């Protein structure tokens, strides 16, 4: 029975991670294309920390751990970085 809960927890982590990356990338690419600050290294770090802090209260739920919150923050940071790279190389629509 515990193996089933482990698989459900891993599935939740993968879903949340994919969602965080995709939403952050799309938001940066579509809404922040004229903001120069998004191209600095501070932007993904700040976005990742905010994503982690927002997700931390959900770790009180039984199937969500602190590791899920950390991975969510990392996925948001990588999504912001990927969106900034999309802007830099001119890929403003599609591509994901």
């Amino acid at each position: 029975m515990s193996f089933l809960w482990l698989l459900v927890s891993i599935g939740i982590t993968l879903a949340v991670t994919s969602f965080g990356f995709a939403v952050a990338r799309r938001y940066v690419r579509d809404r922040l294309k004229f903001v120069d600050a998004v191209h600095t290294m501070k932007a993904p770090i700040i976005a990742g920390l905010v994503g982690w802090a927002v997700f931390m209260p959900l770790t009180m739920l039984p199937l969500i751990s602190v590791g899920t919150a950390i991975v969510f923050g990392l996925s948001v940071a990588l999504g912001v970085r990927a969106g900034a790279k999309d802007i830099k190389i001119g890929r403003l629509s599609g591509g994901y």
Side-chain angles (χ1 to χ4, degrees):
M1 189 64 147
S2 66
F3 183 70
L4 177 65
W5 292 117
L6 176 66
L7 287 178
V8 170
S9 178
I10 290 172
I12 290 171
T13 301
L14 289 174
V16 165
T17 301
S18 300
F19 177 77
F21 178 83
V23 169
R25 183 177 184 182
R26 190 177 318 118
Y27 185 81
V28 168
R29 187 177 56 213
D30 295 343
R31 304 274 179 137
L32 299 179
K33 60 179 125 184
F34 299 116
V35 177
D36 289 334
V38 79
H39 299 288
T40 65
M41 205 54 204
K42 291 179 188 177
I45 293 171
I46 292 170
L49 288 173
V50 169
W52 170 78
V54 167
F55 203 78
M56 272 306 283
L58 294 176
T59 59
M60 290 187 246
L61 296 173
L63 293 176
I64 299 175
S65 67
V66 175
T68 304
I70 292 170
V71 172
F72 178 73
L74 287 173
S75 71
V76 169
L78 291 173
V80 168
R81 189 69 185 141
K85 186 176 178 185
D86 287 346
I87 294 169
K88 187 179 282 189
I89 64 173
R91 183 175 29 192
L92 295 178
S93 64
Y96 183 27

